[in-house]
Amino acid sequence: MTVAPHRLVHPLVLDPRPDIRLIAADMDGTLLDDANGLHEHLWPLVRELHRRGIVFCPASGRQYHNLLERFGEVADDVVFIAENGTYVVRRGHELSSDGLALDVVGRLVATVRELAGSGADVGVVVCGKDMAYIERSDAAFRAQADTYYARLRVVDDLRTMLGDPLFADEVLKVAVFDFGSAQATTAPALAGFRATHQVVVSGEHWVDVMSPTANKGTAVRQLQQALGITRAQTMVFGDFLNDLEMMDAADYSFAMDNAHPLLRARARFVAPRNTQNGVVRTISAMLGLAWTA
């Protein structure tokens, strides 16, 4: 069978160039290539954006400490939008957070346990500001959790941990990994929480449950307000359903060419695929910078 090649999408070029002051980009499927790598041209680009007074934000469902590890050499030059917008950090200082009540977290853990008991191959991550916590510790699940959480602790029982009066971490979200289809299995099982919380399919295998007011779009708008930046001065990039609200926060909203169809419909523009260094190339083309290859 012959596999059709990906169509070629050229980076957008506008004349005159827009006055961009804030750029937020998702990680997985957007900034990262399919081997989980960041392109070498990203680093000089971020430094040049910082020199020009343009704020660059990795905006991800990943843990803050994971993002800090990935962006260590330019960490002081960026703002981190972590845990799908529930935690925003600049130079080690929290700008905003939007967490979950511990009783809700306990009910979520119980629901995922019931789902696992019915035969679904799932595991839960309780995502705190300081640490992420898991009770499933087999190698396959650990490999998935370790990819997204640099600070990860295995505990005997998550609900016992949550009920301990000495537990002091603030929980930002609950993430569930489904070795099958998150959209087909885990998301329906968590539907009972939709009336009061955000239940977001954030990847093929992940579902995140968060505060009803938390998402990447809210985080971007809070940054705009804090920094005196308008949506006309904002550019955003994403590929999956946890990026939907972010598309509404910027005049220059880009879905990657590999994006989910619903995100493509929500964005105003399309950028080249994540495997074609689409974010760096589009920013460079839009702003007249060197890194377009």
Side-chain angles (χ1 to χ4, degrees):
M1 181 178 70
T2 301
V3 178
H6 297 308
R7 68 192 182 95
L8 182 63
V9 173
H10 295 284
L12 181 69
V13 177
L14 295 178
D15 185 17
R17 296 189 181 110
D19 176 31
I20 299 298
R21 296 286 107 195
L22 174 64
I23 302 172
D26 173 54
M27 289 286 285
D28 296 272
T30 302
L31 267 178
L32 292 171
D33 61 27
D34 288 351
N36 196 36
L38 290 163
H39 198 280
E40 62 180 349
H41 291 162
L42 176 64
W43 311 118
L45 174 64
V46 169
R47 291 190 179 96
E48 177 61 17
L49 293 175
H50 180 68
R51 188 188 72 79
R52 293 181 176 216
I54 301 171
V55 178
F56 183 77
C57 302
S60 176
R62 289 172 177 252
Q63 182 188 50
Y64 162 65
H65 302 289
N66 177 285
L67 295 175
L68 186 63
E69 191 175 84
R70 298 300 301 262
F71 285 83
E73 59 182 278
V74 294
D76 285 347
D77 296 345
V78 304
V79 176
F80 295 103
I81 298 177
E83 305 283 14
N84 276 333
T86 63
Y87 196 36
V88 182
V89 181
R90 186 178 199 180
R91 295 180 178 173
H93 299 287
E94 177 184 319
L95 299 184
S96 65
S97 63
D98 193 352
L100 292 171
L102 293 187
D103 65 311
V104 173
V105 179
R107 289 193 286 115
L108 283 163
V109 170
T111 301
V112 177
R113 286 179 181 174
E114 291 174 6
L115 181 61
S118 71
D121 193 1
V122 294
V124 62
V125 185
V126 173
C127 308
K129 285 184 181 180
D130 185 59
M131 189 78 63
Y133 308 88
I134 58 175
E135 60 186 14
R136 177 173 171 174
S137 59
D138 59 280
F141 181 69
R142 276 299 304 261
Q144 298 299 328
D146 285 337
T147 299
Y148 301 95
Y149 300 94
R151 290 189 183 179
L152 185 65
R153 179 176 298 165
V154 180
V155 300
D156 291 334
D157 187 300
L158 286 169
R159 298 194 76 189
T160 299
M161 177 195 76
L162 295 167
D164 187 337
L166 296 179
F167 178 70
D169 205 353
E170 296 178 55
V171 177
L172 298 165
K173 72 173 189 185
V174 171
V176 184
F177 184 84
D178 188 326
F179 283 91
S181 168
Q183 193 159 13
T185 303
T186 297
L190 298 175
F193 292 90
R194 288 188 184 276
T196 54
H197 292 80
Q198 294 260 15
V199 180
V200 181
V201 179
S202 56
E204 182 182 357
H205 300 288
W206 287 99
V207 177
D208 291 339
V209 183
M210 306 173 294
S211 158
T213 54
N215 57 64
K216 293 182 186 180
T218 297
V220 168
R221 289 188 182 93
Q222 289 172 338
L223 265 181
Q224 288 169 335
Q225 184 173 5
L227 300 175
I229 294 170
T230 68
R231 59 172 291 148
Q233 296 173 307
T234 304
M235 187 185 305
V236 298
F237 297 85
D239 77 302
F240 216 77
L241 301 179
N242 57 328
D243 300 316
L244 282 171
E245 292 86 357
M246 192 163 65
M247 297 298 107
D248 301 332
D251 280 4
Y252 300 95
S253 57
F254 289 83
M256 309 306 290
D257 192 35
N258 51 284
H260 191 287
L262 291 178
L263 190 85
R264 289 179 69 107
R266 191 86 152 243
R268 294 186 64 197
F269 307 103
V270 176
R273 301 176 68 86
N274 66 312
T275 54
Q276 298 169 347
N277 195 24
V279 172
V280 171
R281 292 172 60 205
T282 299
I283 295 171
S284 300
M286 289 274 286
L287 301 184
L289 302 176
W291 302 283
T292 57

